[in-house]
Amino acid sequence: MTSALLTDRYELTMVEAALKAGTAHRDSVFEVFARRLPEGRRYGIVAGTGRFLELLADFRFGDDEVAWLREAGVVDATTADWLADYRFSGDIWGYAEGEVYLPGSPLLVIQSTFAEAVLLETLALSVFNYDSAVASAAARMVSAADGRPLAEMGSRRTGERSAVAAARAAYIAGFGATSNLEAGRSWGVPTMGTAAHAFTLLHDTEEDAFRAQVDTLGPGTTLLVDTYDIPEAVATAVRVAGPSLGAVRIDSGDLPSLVGQVRTQLDELGATAAKITVTNDLDEYTIAALRAAPVDSFGVGTSVVSGSGHPAAGMVFKLVARRGDDGDWVSVAKKSADKASVGGRKSPVRVIVDGVATRELIRIGSSETAAGERSLHVPLVTAGEIDARHTGPEGVARARLHRAAAVAELPDQALRLGRGEPVVPTVYA
């Protein structure tokens, strides 16, 4: 299944015009970066790299796609023939998936001919804008949870394919599981889930529903206790599952007070090891507000798959350098008000002092590094060959570990939920 038509039309019309002008094959460098973070955010998390690389591998214009483009009048015959032979043959570097990014961070750099590279704009931005928005929001929730597990449960609040991407991104950012089975199959994300209110309503009594669930899943299951009356349901849950009851889930109500009451009741009934999980329209702020409550885990839906109010990371795809007719590299940049870019091939490093990140240093035209600097770019594609270490479930596992290490380098104020400026300044040199 090709990913080539997951593309905006103007990318193909630019290729057609460049082919006619004789400029299509000029060596060019494009960057993906964010001019700014979402308002009040202190850092972002890069996610989507592995997905982008797998989609790039399938970026082919087959006979059906080429025929449709010609019939629809999108491109002329010459361009259609060029597209039929399209294979990306250039180089791509980027921040490792899971890395912290800041305003101006060149998190993806594509070097190839203009025509080969410009076709990837929509694909790159659609992946990185969404996945990084989810991962950045999820990372804030992980910080707010203060070590307690989180599960992603937002499949019913976004598109069916976005749901898989969101589960993947949240896992990279530190969530422990997802309700989405395709994310488990495709990306190795642990899956979880037990029963909804419909299962309780199906049965004549709440006790019948609980017994059916325990008979099937064992006493260590999680029983949903807020369909009718919570104290009565907790008592029934312990009576049915016994003191080895795994957990109860609360999906409504005044959570801070309810959780305390339920914890007391469970302990009095002898289910001292039973956990409490909450799943009621949570975001990073409600999770933080429950920090002092005896909550053992959280399930987050709408807020995480929507980027907690910022569903796109605001990333852009810009040409920053090209070869001139004399063969030398020429830096190029926009000068538009509020949309200016910085030209030139860049090499970013993070300056680390006593284990803490202090600056994002972006060198233009130089790839040197000094003591106390961590290079941020890693090769992702070399001469058209994708580095498979960044793809599949193994790539997700690598990204999850990298995210933990990158966040651990940030100053303490990075983890505050209140509005603030980017926690590490970006400096060009």
Side-chain angles (χ1 to χ4, degrees):
M1 184 175 181
T2 181
S3 57
L5 293 188
L6 302 176
T7 302
D8 287 325
R9 178 169 175 159
Y10 81 156
E11 289 160 17
L12 274 64
T13 57
M14 282 191 285
V15 168
E16 181 173 320
L19 287 169
K20 288 183 178 179
T23 53
H25 304 302
R26 282 184 173 175
D27 289 337
S28 301
V29 177
F30 287 84
E31 281 179 10
V32 172
F33 63 93
R35 294 189 179 94
R36 60 191 66 86
L37 298 177
E39 186 177 355
R41 297 279 178 90
R42 298 167 188 253
Y43 69 95
I45 296 293
V46 177
T49 309
R51 285 212 310 124
F52 170 73
L53 293 176
E54 293 196 8
L55 288 165
L56 176 63
D58 294 329
F59 199 92
R60 304 283 188 270
F61 294 87
D63 292 343
D64 290 345
E65 289 75 38
V66 171
W68 180 82
L69 290 171
R70 294 192 64 175
E71 291 166 6
V74 176
V75 295
D76 62 13
T78 300
T79 306
D81 290 341
W82 184 87
L83 292 172
D85 294 329
Y86 179 86
R87 300 292 185 273
F88 181 78
S89 63
D91 300 322
I92 301 178
W93 301 265
Y95 283 33
E97 189 163 18
E99 183 61 79
V100 167
Y101 77 88
L102 299 151
S105 293
L107 59 92
L108 196 73
V109 175
I110 300 174
Q111 182 170 325
S112 188
T113 66
F114 175 85
E116 275 197 4
V118 77
L119 285 181
L120 303 180
E121 176 182 8
T122 303
L123 186 69
L125 291 182
S126 64
V127 170
F128 283 98
N129 263 319
Y130 181 69
D131 292 33
S132 297
V134 171
S136 299
R140 286 162 56 85
M141 297 172 194
V142 170
S143 296
D146 198 25
R148 287 172 286 184
L150 298 103
E152 182 279 319
M153 304 169 64
S155 294
R156 291 161 292 166
R157 299 294 186 265
T158 188
E160 68 279 3
R161 300 307 303 178
S162 297
V164 182
R168 180 185 183 278
Y171 182 64
I172 287 171
F175 274 51
T178 179
S179 62
N180 189 283
L181 292 175
E182 186 59 50
R185 183 179 74 137
S186 295
W187 301 109
V189 181
T191 61
M192 49 71 65
T194 49
H197 292 100
F199 187 75
T200 300
L201 296 169
L202 168 68
H203 293 81
D204 293 336
T205 67
E206 193 167 50
E207 181 170 343
D208 289 345
F210 287 177
R211 288 194 183 282
Q213 185 174 329
V214 169
D215 287 346
T216 302
L217 301 176
T221 189
T222 299
L223 296 174
L224 181 59
V225 296
D226 70 322
T227 305
Y228 303 119
D229 178 80
I230 290 177
E232 183 177 338
V234 171
T236 302
V238 176
R239 185 170 66 253
V240 169
S244 59
L245 170 66
V248 296
R249 178 163 74 95
I250 306 171
D251 190 48
S252 61
D254 180 9
L255 293 179
S257 61
L258 278 175
V259 168
Q261 294 166 16
V262 169
R263 180 73 270 161
T264 298
Q265 186 180 6
L266 286 169
D267 292 345
E268 290 175 346
L269 293 171
T272 56
K275 307 292 187 182
I276 298 175
T277 187
V278 296
T279 57
N280 180 28
D281 291 331
L282 304 180
D283 61 14
E284 60 265 50
Y285 300 105
T286 52
I287 292 170
L290 290 165
R291 189 168 288 169
V295 176
D296 296 290
S297 62
F298 304 91
V300 188
T302 303
S303 185
V304 69
V305 301
S306 64
S308 195
H310 298 282
M315 294 174 186
V316 294
F317 182 100
K318 298 299 176 187
L319 179 68
V320 296
R322 61 169 175 80
R323 287 197 192 274
D325 292 335
D326 59 1
D328 291 337
W329 283 103
V330 178
S331 294
V332 296
K334 283 182 61 174
K335 296 183 178 179
S336 308
D338 298 323
K339 289 191 174 182
S341 56
V342 178
R345 176 70 168 86
K346 304 175 183 69
S347 296
V349 299
R350 191 152 296 149
V351 180
I352 309 294
V353 178
D354 295 329
V356 178
T358 62
R359 281 190 301 165
E360 182 100 337
L361 179 60
I362 301 177
R363 292 191 174 94
I364 302 174
S366 171
S367 58
E368 67 181 38
T369 58
E373 297 177 351
R374 179 167 68 84
S375 182
L376 295 172
H377 274 171
V378 298
L380 301 173
V381 180
T382 303
E385 293 295 321
I386 293 169
D387 187 338
R389 293 177 299 173
H390 303 287
T391 61
E394 295 78 11
V396 171
R398 287 166 59 94
R400 181 176 166 87
L401 291 173
H402 190 85
R403 187 274 320 165
V407 171
E409 288 179 346
L410 294 176
D412 290 341
Q413 59 265 35
L415 306 184
R416 296 173 184 168
L417 296 181
R419 291 178 178 274
E421 296 299 314
V423 70
V424 176
T426 301
V427 179
Y428 294 91

